[in-house]
Every structure is written in structure tokens, then in C-alpha cells.
Amino acid sequence: MTVAIAFFGEHRCLLGESPLWDADGQRLWWVDSAGCRIYAADADGAPQVTWQYDSMVGSIGLANGGLIAGFADHFALVSEADGRAVPLANVPGHDGSMRLNDGKVDRAGAHYICGQTRMGDDAAGQMFQLSASGARLQPLASGMRISNAICFSPDGTMLYFADSLDGVIRCHAYDPATGTVGAQTGTISLAGIGQAPDGATVDADGNLWIALVLDQAIACVSPAGELLRRIAMPMPYPSCPAFGGEGMETLFVTSIANSGHNLVTDHPDGGRIAVVTGLGVRGIAESRFQAGTA
């Protein structure tokens, strides 16, 4: 099978992140964090919605009735009908120096885990877990600078995440029934593989697909840390991969044109979304955050 890479329509972002395939609607969702927008397009890239907000949008997940979103300093449910964002919980102690960044719904659809990224130099960021019942917002890991690569094993019993500046993926036991994050079971070192893990996803075989934002590549590594593939991207600063499309066999990869900080490019394809086919692997459909039912 031959790997082919194209672009997803003419879509461009300043800070593209959080691609998310909606199998029910047969469409791709994603965000432009710096542009404070949420987008959706059909499988061929034809635009469907563009929603503008007053706050940066770090990440999104599917939810019953729409999306769950991590805005800069709060969580909200976003209506699928019109994009209206209904706040659910504020991030405690928010002072403007941090913002919510990468996030994923767990396999049970009961919790949304979202990390922070720094706006300064100190490692003060945390990861937060929002329960679908709205009864709990709790901090998890702390000491984060740029929280990224949040994803779950196929059975939901392993949580992966990274501080992009550390160059390792942290592996933690996870109980999908209760949302309990257990002890760290190990790490996946990216030494010799690539720099700065950004967004990540897991395929049906349990392997991790990681955006190497400073290396213009996507790496596929096993849970044991073995490099299985490394695929060069046609645009700088790939930020996050997600499987979708027919059979969950297409890999969509967002990218960054101008993060508002260190990552800036004048490349003509900066900020576009790459579409990778012919990989011979399948992804896993993301669960829906069951707001109000957990």
C-alpha cells in the first residue's frame, strides 16, 4: 500500500489544533487556537461551520449535543446547532499566565482531560479532569510547561501525555470506570526519534501517532517505545494527528503558521491540514462526552 499525502481543502489556521472526526456527521472538526475559532468540514474538505469566540480554544471533544471545549480559562459545552458555548467550569486560580491546551475525552465518555500551556517560563501548568456529570473538576499532573499528546490506549486503561519540552511521553494507569489516574508505569523516550511531541492519537493496534512539531514529521511508536514509522509532512510545524474518514483509515494532521509566540513560518502551506492515506492502519472512533448523564 502506497502512502499518499494531500491537503484538506484550502483551510488554513494560525494555530491549527485538535482535529476530531465525527463519524455520525461524517465530518472533521478542528480549532484555530490563536484565531479563537472552531471549524468543521465534510470528508472532502467542503466548509460546514466557522464559529468565532472571544477566547482562545485549546481543544475540543465530541459531546452529546455538540462539543466539549477547553477555552483559555474555562470548560464549555458548544451547541452543534449554532456554536453557542455554555460554560461548565472555570479553571481555578487562573491569572492569565496559563491557558488550557490539549485535551481528550476518555474511552468511557465520562471525563474530559485537558492540560495547560505556559505563557511564561516557569513550569506551573497542570492537567485538569472534568467529569461529565459536572460534579468534579480536579487537577491531575502538575509542573507542566506545554501540556500535549493526551490520548488513551484502545481499552482505555492507559493514559498518555507529555510536556512537549521534556521529549518523553508519560504513561499512567487509568480506570475508565471511575476516571482515576493511577501511578506512572513508565515513559516513552523520543530521543533519536524527534523533538517536541505535540498532539497525539492511538491506532486500533495501540500504537501512538505523535506530531513532532519541530521536526516537520509524524512518528508512530509502539507502547514500548519502538519507532515503527516516521512520515515527513509537507508543511512546517505539524501540531496534531487524528484518524477519520471511511473506515477510520485516513490521518488528518493540523499545523501551525503563527502560534503567537515562537512558532512562525512564511511557508506557503503553513497552517494547512495534511491528509495522509494508504497507511494500512485504522484509528479508533473518539467517545462522546456524556454531559449531564455520568
Side-chain angles (χ1 to χ4, degrees), residues 85-179:
V86 178
L88 290 178
N90 292 325
V91 176
H94 182 80
D95 62 0
S97 66
M98 310 292 295
R99 65 172 176 83
L100 291 176
N101 195 42
D102 192 32
K104 286 278 176 33
V105 177
D106 69 14
R107 297 290 182 206
H111 301 90
Y112 183 56
I113 292 180
C114 198
Q116 290 177 312
T117 187
R118 62 181 174 82
M119 305 302 285
D121 293 327
D122 56 334
Q126 300 184 78
M127 284 210 313
F128 293 94
Q129 181 188 62
L130 178 71
S131 69
S133 66
R136 182 175 63 181
L137 174 63
Q138 67 174 7
L140 301 176
S142 60
M144 310 291 286
R145 290 166 294 178
I146 305 177
S147 177
N148 266 315
I150 298 172
C151 54
F152 294 89
S153 61
D155 65 1
T157 62
M158 187 67 66
L159 166 66
Y160 302 104
F161 64 93
D163 182 333
S164 290
L165 301 183
D166 287 347
V168 299
I169 306 294
R170 306 179 194 185
C171 313
H172 280 256
Y174 188 82
D175 184 345
T178 64

Side-chain angles (χ1 to χ4, degrees), residues 159-246:
L159 166 66
Y160 302 104
F161 64 93
D163 182 333
S164 290
L165 301 183
D166 287 347
V168 299
I169 306 294
R170 306 179 194 185
C171 313
H172 280 256
Y174 188 82
D175 184 345
T178 64
T180 301
V181 178
Q184 184 170 327
T185 62
T187 60
I188 298 172
S189 174
L190 297 180
I193 294 176
Q195 303 179 73
D198 199 330
T201 191
V202 174
D203 66 26
D205 296 320
N207 299 314
L208 285 77
W209 294 76
I210 305 163
L212 304 174
V213 69
L214 297 183
D215 284 350
Q216 198 169 327
I218 297 292
C220 176
V221 300
S222 73
E226 177 188 4
L227 176 63
L228 304 177
R229 318 173 91 156
R230 195 176 192 273
I231 301 173
M233 291 288 102
M235 70 291 191
Y237 306 137
S239 54
C240 192
F243 283 98
E246 186 176 357

